[in-house]
Amino acid sequence: MPEFVVFLRAVNVGKRKLTMAEARDALSDSGFADVESHIQTGNFLLGTNMRSAAKVEAAVSTCLSAHAGFDIVSMARTRTQVRALVEEVDGIPAVWEGSSRYVSFLADAPAAAARRRLEEWDESKERAFVLGKEVLLEIGGPFHEARLGNALLEKIAGVDGTARNMTVVRAIAEKWGA
């Protein structure tokens, strides 16, 4: 049975509350198998007969939106893709000593113009590296103070996305990576 790592966008932020136990139950009740979660930011491993990440994203979003009462966007990747992403990020030298790294998982790869704009961003110790449907953000200061946070990144890319600290992405790859 195919397995996918699913990242939820904007849950447990403000009034958008969704416990991982409730989400696991809702996903299991909707036919997903062996549902696991990692921390409270909306990271899941699940099995499904679906083979398309797009179909998994749509089904997870529909299920959890109905359960939570607000729109939930999800991004799905295979276990192998998550492990390969960590390896790719590890191969990119840090731009600044002591910087923080985040990955924004996007619904689709940014178009060429958006990719160029993101990769040309070089402001206030903030850089972006487009890696297909993911964007590595290197931030030289606190993430919550960065101009190129997830909201601006989504605006430039023209697609939904959700960011995770590389520490979390690495933990997920170690826990669930192929």
Side-chain angles (χ1 to χ4, degrees):
M1 175 177 289
E3 293 178 303
F4 289 87
V5 178
V6 177
F7 302 92
L8 303 184
R9 178 181 179 275
V11 297
N12 297 330
V13 177
K15 296 181 181 183
R16 298 172 54 91
K17 301 294 183 197
L18 175 67
T19 71
M20 295 305 100
E22 290 174 353
R24 286 191 307 270
D25 290 346
L27 290 166
S28 294
D29 291 348
S30 291
F32 291 102
D34 303 319
V35 180
E36 297 177 40
S37 61
H38 178 75
I39 67 174
Q40 295 299 311
T41 57
N43 311 294
F44 296 92
L45 175 67
L46 48 82
T48 177
N49 289 327
M50 291 178 250
R51 300 200 180 282
S52 158
K55 288 180 181 178
V56 171
E57 290 167 349
V60 167
S61 295
T62 298
C63 167
L64 294 180
S65 295
H67 176 79
F70 54 84
D71 287 340
I72 294 178
V73 176
S74 67
M75 275 53 83
R77 304 295 188 265
T78 65
R79 295 163 69 129
T80 303
Q81 288 171 321
V82 174
R83 173 58 78 190
L85 171 66
V86 169
E87 291 173 9
E88 186 172 8
V89 167
D90 286 348
I92 299 171
V95 179
W96 304 284
E97 188 176 328
S99 62
S100 298
R101 288 182 152 196
Y102 295 80
V103 171
S104 187
F105 295 89
L106 302 178
D108 288 302
R115 180 185 178 121
R116 258 189 321 280
R117 186 167 174 211
L118 287 166
E119 290 184 338
E120 290 171 354
W121 186 276
D122 188 8
E123 186 173 318
S124 303
K125 288 194 171 185
E126 299 174 10
R127 289 294 315 269
F129 303 87
V130 179
L131 310 171
K133 289 172 65 172
E134 284 76 46
V135 178
L136 169 62
L137 297 170
E138 187 158 351
I139 308 295
F143 186 69
H144 69 276
E145 294 177 6
R147 281 200 61 226
L148 189 59
N150 204 61
L152 181 57
L153 189 145
E154 285 180 319
K155 184 176 180 180
I156 293 170
V159 296
D160 287 329
T162 187
R164 299 292 187 274
N165 181 296
M166 266 311 292
T167 303
V168 171
V169 176
R170 193 174 315 287
I172 289 170
E174 288 173 6
K175 184 175 183 178
W176 297 331

